[in-house]
Each structure stands twice: as C-alpha cells, then as structure tokens.
Amino acid sequence: MQIEVLTLFPRIFEGPLDESILKRARDRGLVNIRVHNLRDFTHDKHRVVDDKPYGGAPGMLMKPEPIFEAVEKLRQPGKSRVVLMTPQGVPLTQQRARELAGQLHLIIICGHYEGVDERVREALVDEEISIGDYVLTNGALAAAVLVDCVVRLLPGVLGDNQSAADDSFAGGMLEGPQYTRPPEFRGMKVPDVLLSGDHGAIARWRAEQARQRTKERRPDLLKP
Ligand code: JCE
C-alpha cells in the first residue's frame, strides 16, 4: 500500500510514523508513506494556503488551489482513494479501517483552520472521516491516528499474537482484568482462578469479566 499525507504540519507525522510497529512496517516495505507539505504546492512568494471565508465567518479556510494541485499530481486514475480528515466526517470504526486497508493508494488530506473550501469536497474527496466526537486543533493528529489504525491491518505488519487481539476487539467486547507476576503485590492478590490451572474455569471467568466490564463501561457495544 502507498499512503500520501497532505498537511501543513509535516513534522507532526515524524514522531508517530517513525516508531515501533509503523517504523518496522515501513522499513520492511509493507507500506510506503509519504508526507507532503501543502505549502510546496503554492506558487506565490509567501506560500499562502489559507484565506477568509466569503460571506464573513470567523476564522480562515484552506484555499482550494494547493490541495487540487497536490491531489492531481499524486492521484493515479482508478487506483487512489482520497480521504479528507474533518470533524464533519463519518466516525472512524474498525470496520472502516479494514475497508481502507484493502486499498492500494490512499491520499489523506488533513484539514486545518476552520475547514477547507467546499470545492475540494465536491471535486476531489471520496470520503470524509472524523476520529471521534471531540475537538482537535487540526487534522494532522487525526490523520496520524487513521494511518496507524490502517497500517497495522496490512498483511505481515502484526505478529499472529497481536492479530488475535484485534479479532477480540472486533468481537465487540472489552477485555477484562489481566495480571502478570508477582501473584501478590502490595497486598493485592491475583484472582485464585487464574493460578488454578483449570483452563475451562479460566475461560468462563474471563468471559464473565469481559461481559461485566463491557456492560458497565460500554453498554453501546452490547446492543444489537
Ligand atoms: C480538525 C476543527 C472542529 C473546526 C481540521 C479536526 C477532529 N475528532 C476529530 N476527528 N477529526 C478532527 C479534525 C479533522 C480535521 C480538522 N480541525 C479543527 N475542529 C471545528 C475546526 C481542523
């Protein structure tokens, strides 16, 4: 898979994409991620990327020209999916991430300021995604979250153990409590059943704990 990120803040991506599993995936050639500075697609002396909204509204919008120029240069007809990060987008879910992981070429536009000129949506964007109902200062961190979420699903990126963990979340329940050594720490004991060696009893206990925790914290996940 090839991913192009279009942003005004390319350095925001340096940290998240250059560590751990994402770094290894890139080094192994499982994904090719390029981060492009939208200012490089301007032609004026001051490399202006924003302007005031027509009709008078507070704040600034991203101008269409640099975004059009970048997408038209990078997109490959019939192959590229163009995604806009925006608070107005559909919420990111594991299901949507799996769907995007099946694409060959993603172009991710990070919104900045109060939004982008509507003609970007009209003419360039295939889908708009939000990472959740809370406010960020700009779209770059949202795009980094999307990239992380999609890249870990690409074939070969995770080991088998971690892939299984993904399946369990996809199974729609929260994980219950987990323990490692020592069996007693500052007076807090590991539940006896986990030390019992009775794998049937352990499986039943885990299922019940997961159900309780999900009911308590995320009842929305239990609804059909
Ligand atoms: C973004 C902004 C609200 C106006 C571009 C936020 C947030 N949870 C979220 N998912 N995606 C975002 C996001 C994506 C792109 C942009 N902002 C800040 N937020 C209203 C502007 C600007």
Side-chain angles (χ1 to χ4, degrees):
M1 172 187 261
Q2 168 123 7
I3 302 179
E4 322 282 354
V5 179
L6 308 182
T7 177
L8 297 177
F9 304 113
R11 283 180 307 172
I12 288 184
F13 292 86
E14 278 169 24
L17 304 185
D18 291 326
E19 293 287 344
S20 179
I21 292 171
L22 251 36
K23 176 173 168 44
R24 206 186 46 161
R26 299 175 81 182
D27 290 346
R28 292 165 65 207
L30 301 173
V31 61
N32 182 13
I33 306 174
R34 297 195 297 186
V35 180
H36 307 268
N37 190 338
L38 279 167
R39 280 191 201 281
D40 294 341
F41 297 89
T42 58
H43 299 285
D44 59 309
K45 177 155 171 284
H46 295 104
R47 313 217 305 158
V48 175
V49 291
D50 63 331
D51 206 340
K52 293 184 301 214
Y54 275 118
M60 298 291 269
L61 294 180
M62 290 174 74
K63 290 165 64 62
E65 299 95 322
I67 301 177
F68 270 74
E69 185 153 328
V71 170
E72 285 169 351
K73 179 176 165 193
L74 296 169
R75 81 176 160 196
Q76 301 165 40
K79 185 174 164 193
S80 307
R81 181 80 79 93
V82 181
V83 176
L84 174 66
M85 304 311 298
T86 162
Q88 288 106 50
V90 297
L92 178 62
T93 58
Q94 197 60 26
Q95 173 56 35
R96 190 162 294 272
R98 277 192 289 265
E99 203 262 309
L100 289 173
Q103 300 291 318
L104 292 171
H105 190 214
L106 293 183
I107 300 177
I108 304 175
I109 306 168
C110 304
H112 296 282
Y113 312 115
E114 275 61 54
V116 301
D117 186 285
E118 188 67 18
R119 290 163 291 192
V120 168
R121 287 192 172 84
E122 263 174 51
L124 299 179
V125 170
D126 296 311
E127 62 188 292
E128 303 179 40
I129 295 180
S130 159
I131 62 165
D133 292 339
Y134 42 81
V135 181
L136 300 172
T137 56
N138 68 68
L141 286 173
V145 167
L146 178 65
V147 169
D148 184 286
C149 187
V150 168
V151 170
R152 67 183 286 288
L153 295 176
L154 299 178
V157 170
L158 294 185
D160 289 347
N161 289 339
Q162 294 164 81
S163 307
D166 181 55
D167 292 344
S168 80
F169 180 76
M173 286 247 237
L174 301 184
E175 194 74 71
Q178 302 194 87
Y179 298 85
T180 184
R181 289 186 290 184
E184 181 174 347
F185 176 68
R186 300 193 178 179
M188 296 175 281
K189 291 201 168 86
V190 175
D192 285 333
V193 60
L194 293 177
L195 309 177
S196 69
D198 180 343
H199 298 294
I202 291 171
R204 284 189 298 278
W205 182 83
R206 286 207 172 118
E208 176 55 20
Q209 293 290 320
R211 200 193 58 76
Q212 272 178 33
R213 186 164 279 189
T214 307
K215 182 166 174 257
E216 186 79 18
R217 301 183 184 181
R218 294 294 306 276
D220 57 301
L221 294 179
L222 294 174
K223 304 224 166 81

